[in-house]
Amino acid sequence: MQIFKKDIVETFQKLNEIFSKFSENELNLVPFQGSWTPGQVVQHIILACSGFPELFAGKTEKTTRKPDEKIKDIESLFLNFSIKMDAPVFLIPEKKEYSKSTLNTKLQKIESELLDCAEKYDLTLICLDFQVPGFDTFTIYEWIDFALVHTQRHTHQLKNIFQYMNKL
């Protein structure tokens, strides 16, 4: 359990490290054609990682499989940086001016919620109210891992955007 909490803290620490490097102005610049702004990338993370306490408090059932069975599949897909993915419509961030402090506050809330959920819930339960397109239902353990791996993917994207913007 402690290792999992450490993973949550480290994932958000790495995200915050790269996010803090963007100026308020850079936050809303499109770095290159076809890219989201850094603000949109962070908003996408927020959209994808919000609502976990509600999901975990919803309909669940005991699992008949290993509670971490799908983690290898989640990680091999989302940590494969050579493939480009299209976000589902409901996770596409709005094209608007984002505020760094507002995004930071939302990220802190998500990190806090994930830490709380990792302690509060039976991580072996399967959540029945929602599933990632292309996957079957996840256990709470797998959902938290998904949030971390997805955040790691976009932390990598932010690093690339930052490097690109600072070469110009």
Side-chain angles (χ1 to χ4, degrees):
M1 208 48 202
Q2 286 296 80
I3 293 171
F4 210 46
K5 287 183 185 179
K6 183 176 160 246
D7 293 341
I8 294 169
V9 170
E10 283 179 5
T11 296
F12 280 86
Q13 188 174 27
K14 288 177 181 167
L15 172 60
N16 289 326
E17 281 172 20
I18 188 62
F19 184 52
S20 69
K21 291 182 179 183
F22 290 97
S23 69
E24 198 73 38
N25 182 48
E26 288 174 324
L27 187 65
N28 294 296
L29 293 177
V30 176
F32 45 85
Q33 189 173 350
S35 175
W36 286 339
T37 67
Q40 286 175 300
V41 173
V42 173
Q43 178 62 20
H44 170 73
I45 293 169
I46 291 165
L47 291 171
C49 296
S50 293
F52 282 104
E54 295 79 9
L55 177 65
F56 300 161
K59 277 194 246 161
T60 59
E61 68 183 18
K62 290 204 177 293
T63 186
T64 55
R65 61 176 176 79
K66 286 176 50 183
D68 64 350
E69 184 176 287
K70 297 184 181 175
I71 285 182
K72 279 190 177 127
D73 291 337
I74 295 165
E75 291 179 355
S76 68
L77 177 64
F78 284 90
L79 295 179
N80 180 350
F81 302 124
S82 64
I83 59 170
K84 180 167 175 17
M85 296 182 188
D86 292 322
V89 173
F90 60 93
L91 294 182
I92 295 175
E94 196 179 334
K95 289 181 183 176
K96 68 173 202 167
E97 293 287 310
Y98 288 94
S99 154
K100 205 168 179 180
S101 65
T102 302
L103 294 174
N104 269 322
T105 300
K106 290 178 181 178
L107 289 174
Q108 287 169 356
K109 179 178 186 257
I110 289 168
E111 179 181 5
S112 175
E113 287 175 349
L114 289 174
L115 286 165
D116 185 52
C117 288
E119 191 172 296
K120 180 177 172 182
Y121 288 96
D122 175 352
L123 303 183
T124 68
L125 293 175
I126 289 187
C127 298
L128 301 174
D129 291 334
F130 187 78
Q131 61 191 67
V132 173
F135 284 93
D136 198 2
T137 53
F138 285 166
T139 62
I140 293 174
Y141 185 89
E142 290 163 337
W143 270 116
I144 293 173
D145 184 71
F146 167 81
L148 298 182
V149 169
H150 181 261
T151 299
Q152 290 163 15
R153 179 177 183 82
H154 291 293
T155 298
H156 179 81
Q157 181 184 11
L158 286 169
K159 285 178 185 173
N160 288 342
I161 290 171
F162 184 79
Q163 287 173 343
Y164 181 84
M165 286 179 143
N166 286 282
K167 282 182 187 173
L168 299 177

